[in-house]
Amino acid sequence: MNTSNSEKLYIKAKKSIPGGVNSPVRAFMSVKKDYPIFIRKALGSRLYDEDGNEYIDCIGSWGPMILGHNHPEVLKAVKNAIEEGTSFGLPTGREVELAELVKKCFTSIDKLRLTTSGTEAAMAAVRVARAFTGRNRILKFEGCYHGHSDSLMVKAGSGLLTFEHQDSNGITEGVMKDTLTLPFGDIEKVDRLTDEEDIACIILEPVPANMGLIETEGEFLAKLREITERKGIVLIFDEVISGFRTALGGAQQMYGVVPDLTVLGKIIGGGYPVGAFGGKREIMDMISPSGSVYHAGTLSGNPISVAAGMKTISILKGNPEIYEELDRKTGNLVEGIRNLIGKYKIKATVNHVGSLFTIFFSENKVKDLDGAIGTDDEMYNIYFDTMLKNGIIVPPSKYEAHFLSAAHTEKDMEKMLSATEKAFEEIGKCRKRQGE
Ligand code: PLP
């Protein structure tokens, strides 16, 4: 496979952009590649690189592209919106429509504020939770990622872990001490810690997908709800990935657990820059200008993002069979992968929720960050490399999930399974060389 244009672009990019990329996982460093693939265009389930190679895309821009790339109706909505101007810095009717549509999907949301990224939405949700409770400390879970604002960058999952760090440099000790962390799923520790400390909020990915995908036990979420309600702690579900993906109403619909605040992103912008946070009226009314918690944004509620988000969510809402189809397709693929794991006696296990899955190279079920860290790097690298050589882009880090879309066809699935078989053969050969 010729990727010389990507190589040349990377050499050039490193001179002007830190590490040659604008978001770290894109650099392909953790899968020991000398340079990443530079993408020129995308359509449906496919990506096309700068050398003209075509790939089946299992990244989906890390979540937004649930309908596939450049869905014709989304594209039309965006084109129409562009004709009318790209940013006004004043309110628009479509923002109101989007807020109303989101409220129909997420019954826990009385009011919604749009932002430009998931990072900004999570940061603002934590700020308003602190103001609402009058408490400083927050609790998050190891390996859950909530964007890159200072107080949420502690044990923050994929992007950091990919480069073997748990926390970011450049964050003050003062900020770090107000962010407490616990292993995901350990409800006893949550109960104890929330007795010992005054906690403003507990924030979590109800379906964690930034330490690879974790299959949450519904009881954990229900117990978190019970504890937070009893102790006056704001419960925040970060559904930037799971929102509109695991179900139209996200993980909260799937598990039947209602948070106080919800953070959204990715699909709500249909592939354009966006984020949102919303929830109970009494909390959201503390946001400026109704209340004293400041939040603002030059491009908040950007008309192009709103048009793409509206169209994407309307399609999902009007066609519930999309979710059934996605679950079925992904389920069949995962079953095929599990059969191959058995056939080739690979030390691997697959976590799967809806259209998300992760292959962990470990014999044990992965339930938390320690489990994910303990999985085999070399086997993941061989898997990544073989998939790429066979025209399939899977996440360039063992700490990320595969994202499938409505545009992936049965043929795509067959190709993915056949490439996975080749990857497992390569892993087998490598193990033989190592005398296992
Ligand atoms: N929350 C979760 C669960 C995410 O996965 C991400 C990004 O991947 C974010 C927040 C941050 O969103 P953004 O990248 O739009 O800032």
Side-chain angles (χ1 to χ4, degrees), residues 251-320:
Q252 52 197 267
Q253 177 189 321
M254 202 169 82
Y255 290 104
V257 178
V258 180
D260 299 305
L261 292 178
T262 300
V263 181
L264 295 167
K266 302 197 189 253
I267 291 175
I268 195 182
Y272 292 78
V274 88
F277 64 105
K280 285 189 172 155
R281 180 171 294 102
E282 60 270 32
I283 305 179
M284 291 305 289
D285 276 342
M286 294 190 77
I287 304 282
S288 54
S290 335
S292 57
V293 178
Y294 198 69
H295 169 263
T298 303
L299 292 177
S300 286
N302 174 261
I304 313 307
S305 303
V306 168
M310 273 290 288
K311 183 49 81 179
T312 302
I313 299 168
S314 303
I315 292 171
L316 292 171
K317 189 165 183 299
N319 300 278

Coordinates of all heavy atoms in Angstrom, one line a residue, residues 251-320:
A251 N -27.8 6.6 27.1 CA -27.6 5.5 28.0 C -28.7 5.6 29.1 O -29.2 4.7 29.7 CB -26.3 5.5 28.7
Q252 N -29.1 6.9 29.4 CA -30.2 7.1 30.4 C -31.5 6.4 30.0 O -32.2 5.9 30.9 CB -30.4 8.5 30.8 CG -30.6 9.5 29.7 CD -30.4 10.9 30.1 OE1 -31.3 11.6 30.5 NE2 -29.1 11.4 30.0
Q253 N -31.8 6.4 28.7 CA -33.0 5.7 28.2 C -32.8 4.2 28.3 O -33.6 3.5 28.8 CB -33.3 6.1 26.8 CG -34.5 5.4 26.2 CD -34.6 5.6 24.7 OE1 -34.4 6.8 24.2 NE2 -35.0 4.6 24.0
M254 N -31.6 3.8 27.9 CA -31.3 2.3 27.9 C -31.3 1.7 29.3 O -31.9 0.6 29.5 CB -29.9 2.2 27.3 CG -29.6 0.8 26.7 SD -28.0 0.9 25.8 CE -26.9 0.7 27.1
Y255 N -30.8 2.4 30.3 CA -30.7 1.9 31.6 C -31.9 2.4 32.5 O -32.0 1.9 33.7 CB -29.4 2.2 32.3 CG -28.2 1.6 31.7 CD1 -27.3 2.2 30.8 CD2 -28.0 0.2 32.0 CE1 -26.2 1.6 30.3 CE2 -26.9 -0.4 31.4 CZ -26.0 0.3 30.6 OH -24.9 -0.4 30.0
G256 N -32.7 3.3 32.1 CA -33.8 3.8 32.9 C -33.3 4.6 34.1 O -34.0 4.5 35.2
V257 N -32.2 5.2 34.0 CA -31.7 6.0 35.2 C -31.6 7.5 34.8 O -31.0 7.8 33.7 CB -30.3 5.5 35.6 CG1 -29.7 6.4 36.8 CG2 -30.3 4.0 36.0
V258 N -32.2 8.3 35.6 CA -32.3 9.7 35.2 C -31.3 10.6 35.9 O -31.4 10.8 37.2 CB -33.8 10.2 35.5 CG1 -34.0 11.7 35.2 CG2 -34.8 9.4 34.8
P259 N -30.4 11.2 35.2 CA -29.4 12.1 35.9 C -30.0 13.5 36.1 O -31.1 13.8 35.6 CB -28.3 12.2 34.8 CG -29.0 12.1 33.5 CD -30.2 11.2 33.8
D260 N -29.3 14.4 36.8 CA -29.7 15.8 37.0 C -29.3 16.6 35.8 O -30.0 17.5 35.4 CB -29.1 16.3 38.3 CG -29.5 15.6 39.5 OD1 -30.7 15.4 39.7 OD2 -28.6 15.1 40.2
L261 N -28.1 16.3 35.3 CA -27.5 17.0 34.2 C -27.0 16.0 33.1 O -26.5 15.0 33.5 CB -26.4 18.0 34.6 CG -26.7 19.2 35.4 CD1 -25.5 20.0 35.7 CD2 -27.8 20.1 34.8
T262 N -27.1 16.4 31.9 CA -26.6 15.6 30.8 C -25.7 16.4 29.9 O -26.0 17.6 29.6 CB -27.7 15.0 29.9 OG1 -28.6 14.3 30.8 CG2 -27.2 14.2 28.8
V263 N -24.5 15.9 29.6 CA -23.6 16.5 28.6 C -23.7 15.8 27.3 O -23.7 14.6 27.2 CB -22.1 16.5 29.1 CG1 -21.2 17.2 28.2 CG2 -22.0 17.1 30.5
L264 N -23.8 16.6 26.2 CA -24.0 16.0 24.9 C -22.9 16.6 23.9 O -22.3 17.6 24.3 CB -25.4 16.3 24.3 CG -26.5 15.6 25.1 CD1 -27.9 16.3 24.6 CD2 -26.6 14.1 24.8
G265 N -22.7 15.9 22.8 CA -21.7 16.4 21.8 C -21.8 15.5 20.6 O -22.8 14.8 20.4
K266 N -20.9 15.5 19.8 CA -20.7 14.6 18.6 C -22.0 14.6 17.8 O -22.2 15.4 16.9 CB -20.3 13.3 19.1 CG -18.9 13.4 19.9 CD -18.2 12.1 20.1 CE -17.1 12.2 21.0 NZ -15.8 12.2 20.4
I267 N -22.9 13.5 18.0 CA -24.0 13.3 17.1 C -25.0 14.6 17.1 O -25.6 14.9 16.0 CB -24.8 12.1 17.5 CG1 -24.0 10.8 17.2 CG2 -26.2 12.0 16.7 CD1 -24.6 9.5 17.6
I268 N -25.0 15.3 18.2 CA -25.9 16.4 18.2 C -25.5 17.5 17.2 O -26.3 18.4 16.9 CB -26.1 17.0 19.7 CG1 -27.3 17.9 19.8 CG2 -24.8 17.6 20.2 CD1 -27.5 18.5 21.2
G269 N -24.3 17.4 16.7 CA -23.8 18.4 15.7 C -23.7 17.8 14.3 O -23.2 18.4 13.4
G270 N -24.1 16.5 14.2 CA -24.1 15.8 12.9 C -22.8 15.9 12.2 O -22.7 15.8 10.9
G271 N -21.6 16.0 12.9 CA -20.3 16.1 12.2 C -19.7 17.5 12.2 O -18.7 17.7 11.6
Y272 N -20.4 18.4 12.8 CA -19.9 19.8 12.8 C -19.7 20.2 14.3 O -20.2 19.5 15.2 CB -21.0 20.8 12.2 CG -21.1 20.5 10.7 CD1 -21.8 19.4 10.3 CD2 -20.4 21.3 9.8 CE1 -21.9 19.1 8.9 CE2 -20.5 21.0 8.4 CZ -21.2 19.9 8.0 OH -21.3 19.6 6.7
P273 N -18.9 21.2 14.6 CA -18.4 21.5 16.0 C -19.6 21.8 16.9 O -20.4 22.8 16.6 CB -17.5 22.7 15.8 CG -17.1 22.7 14.4 CD -18.2 22.1 13.6
V274 N -19.7 21.1 18.0 CA -20.9 21.3 18.8 C -20.7 20.6 20.2 O -19.8 19.8 20.4 CB -22.1 20.7 18.2 CG1 -22.4 19.3 18.5 CG2 -23.4 21.5 18.6
G275 N -21.4 21.0 21.1 CA -21.6 20.4 22.4 C -22.9 21.0 23.0 O -23.4 21.9 22.5
A276 N -23.3 20.4 24.1 CA -24.5 20.9 24.8 C -24.6 20.3 26.2 O -24.0 19.3 26.5 CB -25.8 20.5 24.1
F277 N -25.2 21.1 27.1 CA -25.5 20.5 28.4 C -26.8 21.0 28.9 O -27.3 22.1 28.5 CB -24.4 20.9 29.5 CG -24.3 22.4 29.8 CD1 -24.8 22.9 31.0 CD2 -23.7 23.2 28.9 CE1 -24.7 24.2 31.3 CE2 -23.6 24.6 29.2 CZ -24.1 25.1 30.4
G278 N -27.5 20.1 29.6 CA -28.9 20.4 29.9 C -29.3 19.6 31.1 O -28.7 18.6 31.5
G279 N -30.5 19.9 31.6 CA -31.0 19.1 32.7 C -32.1 19.8 33.5 O -32.9 20.6 32.9
K280 N -32.1 19.6 34.8 CA -33.2 20.2 35.6 C -33.3 21.7 35.5 O -32.3 22.4 35.6 CB -33.0 19.7 37.1 CG -33.3 18.3 37.3 CD -33.3 18.0 38.8 CE -33.7 16.6 39.1 NZ -33.2 16.1 40.3
R281 N -34.5 22.1 35.5 CA -34.8 23.6 35.4 C -34.1 24.4 36.4 O -33.4 25.4 36.2 CB -36.3 23.8 35.4 CG -36.8 25.2 35.3 CD -38.3 25.3 35.1 NE -38.7 24.8 33.9 CZ -39.3 23.6 33.7 NH1 -39.5 22.8 34.8 NH2 -39.7 23.1 32.6
E282 N -34.2 23.9 37.7 CA -33.7 24.7 38.8 C -32.2 24.8 38.7 O -31.6 25.8 39.2 CB -34.1 24.2 40.2 CG -33.8 22.7 40.5 CD -34.8 21.7 40.1 OE1 -35.5 21.9 39.1 OE2 -34.9 20.7 40.7
I283 N -31.5 23.9 38.1 CA -30.0 24.0 38.0 C -29.7 24.8 36.8 O -28.9 25.8 36.9 CB -29.4 22.6 37.8 CG1 -29.8 21.7 39.0 CG2 -27.9 22.7 37.7 CD1 -29.2 20.2 38.9
M284 N -30.4 24.5 35.7 CA -30.0 25.3 34.4 C -30.4 26.7 34.5 O -29.7 27.6 33.8 CB -30.8 24.6 33.2 CG -30.2 23.2 32.9 SD -28.5 23.2 32.5 CE -28.3 24.0 31.0
D285 N -31.4 27.1 35.3 CA -31.7 28.5 35.5 C -30.6 29.3 36.2 O -30.7 30.5 36.3 CB -33.1 28.7 36.1 CG -34.2 28.5 35.1 OD1 -33.9 28.7 33.9 OD2 -35.4 28.3 35.5
M286 N -29.6 28.6 36.7 CA -28.5 29.3 37.4 C -27.5 29.8 36.3 O -26.6 30.6 36.6 CB -27.8 28.4 38.3 CG -28.6 28.0 39.5 SD -27.7 27.2 40.8 CE -26.8 28.6 41.5
I287 N -27.7 29.4 35.0 CA -26.8 29.8 34.0 C -27.1 31.3 33.5 O -28.3 31.6 33.4 CB -26.9 28.9 32.7 CG1 -26.6 27.4 33.1 CG2 -26.0 29.3 31.6 CD1 -25.2 27.0 33.3
S288 N -26.1 32.1 33.3 CA -26.3 33.4 32.8 C -27.0 33.4 31.5 O -26.7 32.5 30.7 CB -24.9 34.2 32.7 OG -24.1 33.4 31.9
P289 N -27.9 34.3 31.1 CA -28.2 35.5 31.9 C -29.3 35.3 32.9 O -29.6 36.2 33.7 CB -28.7 36.5 30.8 CG -29.4 35.6 29.8 CD -28.6 34.3 29.8
S290 N -29.9 34.1 33.0 CA -31.0 33.9 34.0 C -30.4 33.9 35.4 O -31.0 34.5 36.4 CB -31.7 32.6 33.9 OG -31.7 32.0 32.7
G291 N -29.2 33.3 35.5 CA -28.5 33.3 36.8 C -27.1 33.8 36.8 O -26.7 34.4 35.8
S292 N -26.3 33.4 37.8 CA -25.0 34.0 38.0 C -23.8 33.1 37.6 O -22.7 33.5 37.8 CB -24.8 34.4 39.5 OG -25.0 33.2 40.2
V293 N -24.1 32.0 37.0 CA -23.0 31.1 36.5 C -22.7 31.4 35.1 O -23.6 31.2 34.2 CB -23.4 29.6 36.7 CG1 -22.3 28.7 36.2 CG2 -23.7 29.3 38.1
Y294 N -21.5 32.0 34.8 CA -21.2 32.5 33.5 C -20.9 31.3 32.5 O -20.2 30.4 32.8 CB -20.1 33.5 33.5 CG -20.1 34.3 32.2 CD1 -21.1 35.2 32.0 CD2 -19.2 34.1 31.2 CE1 -21.2 35.9 30.8 CE2 -19.2 34.8 30.1 CZ -20.2 35.7 29.8 OH -20.3 36.4 28.7
H295 N -21.6 31.4 31.4 CA -21.2 30.6 30.2 C -21.6 31.3 28.9 O -22.7 31.9 28.8 CB -22.0 29.2 30.2 CG -21.8 28.5 28.9 ND1 -22.7 28.6 27.9 CD2 -20.7 27.8 28.4 CE1 -22.2 27.9 26.8 NE2 -21.0 27.5 27.1
A296 N -20.6 31.3 28.0 CA -20.9 32.1 26.7 C -20.1 31.4 25.6 O -19.3 30.5 25.9 CB -20.4 33.5 26.9
G297 N -20.3 31.9 24.4 CA -19.5 31.3 23.3 C -19.9 32.0 22.0 O -21.0 32.1 21.6
T298 N -18.8 32.5 21.3 CA -19.0 33.2 20.0 C -19.8 32.4 19.0 O -20.7 32.8 18.3 CB -17.6 33.6 19.4 OG1 -16.9 34.4 20.4 CG2 -17.7 34.4 18.1
L299 N -19.4 31.1 19.0 CA -20.0 30.2 18.0 C -21.0 29.2 18.6 O -21.4 28.3 18.0 CB -19.0 29.4 17.2 CG -18.1 30.3 16.3 CD1 -17.0 29.5 15.6 CD2 -18.9 31.0 15.2
S300 N -21.4 29.5 19.9 CA -22.5 28.6 20.5 C -23.7 28.6 19.7 O -24.2 29.7 19.3 CB -22.8 29.1 21.9 OG -21.8 28.8 22.8
G301 N -24.3 27.5 19.4 CA -25.5 27.4 18.6 C -25.3 27.8 17.1 O -26.2 28.3 16.5
N302 N -24.1 27.6 16.7 CA -23.7 27.9 15.3 C -24.8 27.4 14.3 O -25.1 26.2 14.4 CB -22.3 27.4 15.0 CG -22.0 27.6 13.5 OD1 -22.1 26.7 12.7 ND2 -21.6 28.8 13.2
P303 N -25.2 28.2 13.4 CA -26.3 27.7 12.5 C -26.0 26.5 11.6 O -26.9 25.7 11.3 CB -26.6 29.0 11.6 CG -25.6 30.0 11.9 CD -24.9 29.6 13.2
I304 N -24.8 26.4 11.2 CA -24.4 25.2 10.4 C -24.5 23.9 11.3 O -25.0 22.9 10.8 CB -23.0 25.3 9.8 CG1 -22.8 26.7 9.2 CG2 -22.8 24.2 8.7 CD1 -23.9 27.2 8.2
S305 N -23.9 24.0 12.4 CA -23.9 22.8 13.3 C -25.3 22.5 13.7 O -25.7 21.3 13.8 CB -23.1 23.1 14.6 OG -21.8 23.5 14.3
V306 N -26.1 23.5 14.0 CA -27.5 23.3 14.4 C -28.3 22.6 13.3 O -29.0 21.7 13.5 CB -28.2 24.6 14.9 CG1 -29.7 24.4 15.0 CG2 -27.5 25.0 16.2
A307 N -28.1 23.1 12.0 CA -28.8 22.5 10.9 C -28.4 21.0 10.7 O -29.3 20.2 10.5 CB -28.4 23.3 9.6
A308 N -27.1 20.7 10.8 CA -26.6 19.3 10.7 C -27.1 18.5 11.8 O -27.6 17.3 11.6 CB -25.1 19.3 10.6
G309 N -27.1 19.0 13.0 CA -27.6 18.2 14.2 C -29.1 18.0 14.1 O -29.5 16.8 14.3
M310 N -29.8 19.0 13.8 CA -31.3 18.9 13.6 C -31.7 17.8 12.6 O -32.5 16.9 12.9 CB -31.9 20.2 13.1 CG -32.3 21.2 14.0 SD -33.7 20.8 15.1 CE -35.0 20.9 13.9
K311 N -31.0 17.8 11.5 CA -31.3 16.8 10.4 C -30.9 15.4 10.9 O -31.7 14.5 10.7 CB -30.6 17.2 9.1 CG -30.9 16.4 7.9 CD -32.4 16.1 7.7 CE -33.0 17.3 7.0 NZ -34.5 17.0 6.7
T312 N -29.7 15.3 11.5 CA -29.3 14.0 11.9 C -30.2 13.4 13.0 O -30.7 12.2 12.8 CB -27.8 14.1 12.5 OG1 -27.0 14.6 11.5 CG2 -27.3 12.7 12.9
I313 N -30.6 14.2 14.0 CA -31.4 13.7 15.0 C -32.8 13.4 14.5 O -33.5 12.4 14.8 CB -31.5 14.7 16.2 CG1 -30.1 14.8 16.8 CG2 -32.5 14.2 17.3 CD1 -30.0 16.0 17.8
S314 N -33.3 14.3 13.6 CA -34.7 14.0 13.0 C -34.7 12.7 12.2 O -35.7 11.9 12.3 CB -35.1 15.1 12.0 OG -35.0 16.4 12.7
I315 N -33.6 12.4 11.5 CA -33.6 11.1 10.8 C -33.6 10.0 11.8 O -34.3 9.0 11.6 CB -32.3 11.1 9.8 CG1 -32.5 12.1 8.7 CG2 -32.1 9.7 9.3 CD1 -31.2 12.3 7.8
L316 N -32.8 10.1 12.8 CA -32.7 9.0 13.8 C -34.1 8.8 14.5 O -34.5 7.7 14.7 CB -31.6 9.3 14.9 CG -30.2 9.3 14.4 CD1 -29.2 9.8 15.4 CD2 -29.8 7.9 14.0
K317 N -34.7 9.9 14.8 CA -36.0 9.9 15.5 C -37.1 9.3 14.6 O -37.9 8.5 15.1 CB -36.4 11.3 16.0 CG -37.5 11.3 16.9 CD -37.6 12.7 17.6 CE -38.8 12.7 18.6 NZ -40.1 12.5 18.0
G318 N -37.0 9.7 13.4 CA -38.1 9.3 12.4 C -37.9 7.8 11.9 O -38.8 7.3 11.3
N319 N -36.7 7.3 12.2 CA -36.4 5.9 11.7 C -35.8 5.0 12.8 O -34.6 4.7 12.7 CB -35.4 6.0 10.5 CG -36.0 6.8 9.4 OD1 -36.7 6.3 8.5 ND2 -35.6 8.1 9.3
P320 N -36.6 4.7 13.8 CA -36.0 3.9 14.9 C -35.4 2.6 14.5 O -34.6 2.1 15.2 CB -37.2 3.7 15.8 CG -38.5 4.1 15.1 CD -38.0 5.0 13.9

